[in-house]
Amino acid sequence: MKIRELMTTDVRTVTPDTTIKDAASIMNTVDVGSVPVVDNNKLVGIVTDRDIVVRAVAKGQTPNQKVCDVMTKDIKCISPDTDVHEAADIMAKRQIRRLPVVDNGNLVGIVSIGDLAVEGKYEDEAGEALHDISKNTLH
């Protein structure tokens, strides 16, 4: 099965100039822990709730700080034609729970470990990936 069959296509995004307060508000509204950062629909990063806490709040930054100052820039992306097993392997090896899906550099969706788990036949891969993701964060 290809990622295009599981990915979420209705993805809320922010621009590099969005404030971290507005990004956090979006995360709260749509109940997610990360938001892709795009510039003219080109993926340039991702900002997570952890990015905001560790790179801004913990350092006494203001809520008006821009997302580009705290976002993760070195992100792994996949294409819509990536195999689900490959996506699960990437998540496990990189210890990430979400992968942006891009086509010609344009963000077209996002897939999460939960998307894999919901698809019954990939439950084992999702469980293994989550185990690998979590094992180093429990120490």
Side-chain angles (χ1 to χ4, degrees), residues 54-123:
V54 172
R55 296 180 182 157
V57 175
K59 294 181 179 177
Q61 302 296 322
T62 72
N64 293 325
Q65 182 176 3
K66 295 188 187 310
V67 165
C68 62
D69 296 331
V70 300
M71 71 183 185
T72 300
K73 296 174 187 164
D74 180 28
I75 53 175
K76 177 66 178 171
C77 304
I78 57 175
S79 81
D81 293 321
T82 301
D83 182 76
V84 171
H85 299 286
E86 183 181 347
D89 287 344
I90 291 168
M91 288 179 185
K93 287 177 185 160
R94 290 233 172 181
Q95 297 189 336
I96 53 178
R97 297 171 190 256
R98 291 166 207 86
L99 279 171
V101 182
V102 297
D103 192 11
N104 294 323
N106 292 319
L107 182 71
V108 295
I110 196 160
V111 65
S112 72
I113 197 78
D115 295 330
L116 300 181
V118 169
E119 184 63 33
K121 53 188 163 183
Y122 299 107
E123 192 171 353

Side-chain angles (χ1 to χ4, degrees), residues 34-51:
S34 67
V35 179
V37 183
V38 296
D39 190 7
N40 293 321
N41 207 37
K42 297 283 186 197
L43 185 67
V44 296
I46 193 163
V47 64
T48 67
D49 46 8
R50 187 174 193 284
D51 290 334

Side-chain angles (χ1 to χ4, degrees), residues 10-22:
D10 183 23
V11 181
R12 293 286 302 268
T13 62
V14 295
T15 66
D17 290 335
T18 302
T19 66
I20 59 172
K21 179 182 178 193
D22 289 341

Side-chain angles (χ1 to χ4, degrees), residues 118-138:
V118 169
E119 184 63 33
K121 53 188 163 183
Y122 299 107
E123 192 171 353
D124 289 343
E125 285 89 343
E128 288 174 24
L130 185 58
H131 174 266
D132 289 344
I133 292 166
S134 301
K135 71 181 175 187
N136 290 332
T137 59
L138 296 176

